[in-house]
Amino acid sequence: MNITRENIDELNAVLKIDIAKEDYTEKVQKVLKDYRKSANIPGFRKGHVPMGLVQKQYGKAILVDEVNKLLQENLQKYLTEEKLDVLGNPLPKDQGDLNWESDDYSFEFELGLAPKFEVDLKPKKAIKNYKIIVDDEMIENQIKTIQKQFGKLTNKQEVAAGDEVSGSFVNEEEGFEKKTTFEVDKLKGKANTSAFVGAKVDDVVTISTKGLFKEAGDYRSFLGLSEEEAKEKNLEVSFKIEEVNNRVAADLDQDLFDKLYGPGVISSVTELKEKIKEEGEGQFKQQSDQQLLNDVTEALIENTEFDLPAEFLKKWIQRSGEKELTVEQAEEEYARSEKGLRYQLIEGKVIADNKLQITFEEIKAFAKEMIKAQMAQYGQTDPADEELEGIAARILSNQDEVKRLSEQLMNKKLLDFFKENVKLEEKEVTFDTFVKEVYN
């Protein structure tokens, strides 16, 4: 067998694999002998079928199968030994009808080669690293929410501002019905609020879904529609008031503090505020870290220039699926996936150049820390290492879980690396400012 490579350019090559008769004869003959032992052909005892008949009936199929096995095995071996960094998979060139009556065969494969490039981790413009703070207004709002959550409900017959009403939004023509409970203060506009204030249990209020609530998230929570859907449909809905309750806020006393954090953990409003700030900023850190990872990704893609074997990749996309795509469909798919492919190459180089690869032991340790954190949420603050090992072993026996944990750990490694090596500019913002800057 002989394998030769012709480099068309830096990103494209053609492999030619020549297979001679002596490369496959022994394997083909062995399979034919095995077939002869088990062949069940009328007129002959099992194991006594003439080899010529076995050859005639099965010879070509076995030849094709063995040559293809030999081809794939040596193709992959060559790519590994030559350390060729290829994109996609080798594509067999169309060679017309191959003459299987011949003794020797030649096959050609197109290769798309990964580009050579360097990654500049020091962009001219620093990347914003948001630090989201919990301001006094957010703390006060959270305290009010806690007081309501742990407060006492008083049943009423008539709706007043600040009350909670229960019932169902209904539009019979559209077949729309949503049972819900919401605070009157969450309604948007004087007209909507006035429709409820003063109404009594069993009264029916008629309103429109468009512009019904102050906050976008409340549409989904209380109406079952997004804000855009509620605006677009603009349904006229009836709401029969089934129950009215006034929630009396809980006192900010030791009893409430103990319910929130356990006996004696905090003992004053000042400590409660500090705790809320600490927890809130801890939660916001996940969002700011994810945004930093997104921003660094975008910057690296924008600032790292290299060419791709585009025509090869389009052809590979066209042929690689269960169903072959049209040229136009392959073009569209390539356009959608090019950016992601570029980042995969950049990320792979950053990982390789900086030895950020992860080991199974690191994955196991990461899994145990996650298990420990989850157990702490349920009051198990000091689990035995044997217990953690057992749970981790069960999780890591699932390949999908291993893949998921590996991706999370690699993201963490990359994030830590970027924080140390990329030019960043820390910006302290409130959550509202963060949302405006990032999502608007």
Side-chain angles (χ1 to χ4, degrees):
M1 178 179 294
N2 185 44
I3 302 179
T4 56
R5 182 173 85 244
E6 178 189 357
N7 291 327
I8 308 302
D9 54 37
E10 291 184 353
L11 300 174
N12 295 275
V14 173
L15 277 189
K16 185 180 179 184
I17 303 179
D18 295 318
I19 297 179
K21 185 176 182 179
E22 57 266 24
D23 295 323
Y24 61 82
T25 298
E26 185 178 337
K27 292 182 179 181
V28 170
Q29 290 302 314
K30 181 180 182 303
V31 176
L32 282 170
K33 287 177 183 178
D34 291 339
Y35 265 59
R36 186 187 181 208
K37 292 175 186 177
S38 58
N40 190 5
I41 296 177
F44 298 95
R45 284 186 296 146
K46 193 174 183 179
H48 291 77
V49 180
M51 180 57 83
L53 188 57
V54 174
Q55 172 75 41
K56 183 178 180 181
Q57 190 158 344
Y58 302 108
K60 185 174 180 180
I62 292 171
L63 170 65
V64 172
D65 189 46
E66 290 303 315
V67 168
N68 277 322
K69 285 180 184 176
L70 197 62
L71 190 63
Q72 293 302 321
E73 179 184 323
N74 285 276
L75 175 60
Q76 293 306 318
K77 183 180 177 183
Y78 178 86
L79 296 178
T80 302
E81 290 178 348
E82 293 294 313
K83 297 180 180 178
L84 287 180
D85 193 1
V86 298
L87 301 179
N89 291 315
L91 288 177
K93 292 188 74 173
D94 185 7
Q95 296 172 256
D97 294 328
L98 191 65
N99 181 16
W100 289 101
E101 301 302 323
S102 174
D103 290 334
D104 302 331
Y105 310 102
S106 290
F107 302 89
E108 290 186 342
F109 292 85
E110 295 179 63
L111 302 181
L113 306 177
K116 307 293 184 187
F117 60 90
E118 296 300 323
V119 180
D120 182 8
L121 294 169
K122 303 292 183 183
K124 293 179 181 178
K125 186 178 179 182
I127 298 170
K128 289 179 184 175
N129 183 17
Y130 289 99
K131 181 182 179 183
I132 307 173
I133 61 167
V134 175
D135 59 9
D136 292 341
E137 182 181 356
M138 185 173 284
I139 291 172
E140 292 299 330
N141 287 337
Q142 182 61 20
I143 288 175
K144 288 177 183 176
T145 299
I146 290 170
Q147 287 182 281
K148 282 187 178 182
Q149 182 182 347
F150 287 88
K152 295 179 180 178
L153 282 177
T154 303
N155 191 256
K156 298 175 63 180
Q157 290 300 305
E158 184 175 319
V159 182
D163 287 346
E164 294 179 2
V165 293
S166 298
S168 296
F169 289 109
V170 176
N171 181 299
E172 292 183 357
E173 289 183 6
E174 295 287 332
F176 176 81
E177 183 173 355
K178 170 65 174 171
K179 190 173 180 64
T180 189
T181 297
F182 63 90
E183 293 177 30
V184 173
D185 289 353
K186 289 187 176 290
L187 293 167
K188 182 179 180 179
K190 186 176 180 181
N192 288 327
T193 304
S194 299
F196 280 89
V197 173
K200 297 179 175 60
V201 173
D202 292 333
D203 283 355
V204 176
V205 175
T206 302
I207 47 179
S208 296
T209 59
K210 180 181 177 181
L212 185 55
F213 294 105
K214 295 175 183 176
E215 301 293 334
D218 289 343
Y219 285 87
R220 184 67 70 186
S221 300
F222 305 130
L223 199 58
L225 301 172
S226 68
E227 184 178 17
E228 292 74 21
E229 289 171 331
K231 181 180 179 181
E232 183 179 338
K233 290 178 182 291
N234 194 21
L235 296 177
E236 186 177 85
V237 291
S238 62
F239 187 93
K240 183 177 180 180
I241 300 172
E242 298 173 359
E243 188 176 357
V244 181
N245 288 294
N246 178 256
R247 193 177 288 273
V248 180
D251 292 329
L252 293 172
D253 55 17
Q254 193 61 47
D255 181 57
L256 177 61
F257 302 152
D258 291 348
K259 286 178 182 176
L260 289 170
Y261 298 106
V265 175
I266 62 171
S267 56
S268 68
V269 174
T270 300
E271 290 179 3
L272 174 62
K273 290 180 177 180
E274 290 172 354
K275 199 76 172 174
I276 291 171
K277 183 177 178 67
E278 176 189 338
E279 290 177 341
E281 291 181 353
Q283 292 173 359
F284 289 149
K285 187 175 185 300
Q286 295 179 4
Q287 288 177 270
S288 60
D289 279 350
Q290 184 58 57
Q291 188 58 42
L292 176 61
L293 196 57
N294 293 346
D295 290 342
V296 171
T297 297
E298 289 293 332
L300 290 178
I301 293 172
E302 184 179 343
N303 296 322
T304 308
E305 295 184 2
F306 54 81
D307 292 326
L308 290 170
E311 293 308 312
F312 168 84
L313 289 170
K314 291 172 189 176
K315 194 184 297 185
W316 175 71
I317 289 171
Q318 185 180 3
R319 298 184 191 175
S320 61
E322 291 183 8
K323 182 180 178 182
E324 185 166 323
L325 303 179
T326 65
V327 173
E328 293 75 16
Q329 288 172 328
E331 291 267 4
E332 291 172 3
E333 183 59 33
Y334 176 74
R336 283 192 295 267
S337 59
E338 182 187 1
K339 191 174 182 181
L341 175 58
R342 286 182 177 278
Y343 184 65
Q344 284 180 19
L345 292 170
I346 294 169
E347 182 184 80
K349 185 164 179 61
V350 170
I351 291 169
D353 288 353
N354 298 282
K355 297 179 173 59
L356 299 179
Q357 295 87 351
I358 55 179
T359 65
F360 184 77
E361 286 304 313
E362 286 178 312
I363 296 172
K364 186 169 80 168
F366 184 64
K368 287 169 69 175
E369 285 302 314
M370 291 185 69
I371 295 164
K372 199 172 179 181
Q374 289 172 357
M375 294 175 75
Q377 293 177 359
Y378 296 96
Q380 294 178 264
T381 54
D382 191 25
D385 193 60
E386 286 183 9
E387 185 178 8
L388 291 174
E389 284 279 347
I391 298 172
R394 287 197 296 274
I395 291 173
L396 297 176
S397 66
N398 184 319
Q399 290 302 310
D400 289 337
E401 284 296 309
V402 173
K403 181 181 178 183
R404 183 180 65 83
L405 289 169
S406 299
E407 289 172 352
Q408 290 181 0
L409 180 55
M410 181 52 71
N411 281 342
K412 183 178 182 301
K413 274 197 169 190
L414 284 168
L415 182 65
D416 292 341
F417 174 80
F418 290 148
K419 283 182 177 180
E420 291 182 9
N421 295 278
V422 174
K423 185 179 178 182
L424 303 177
E425 175 192 350
E426 185 171 278
K427 184 173 183 179
E428 196 172 277
V429 294
T430 64
F431 182 69
D432 287 343
T433 303
F434 172 77
V435 170
K436 287 176 184 176
E437 290 198 12
V438 170
Y439 300 110
N440 290 347

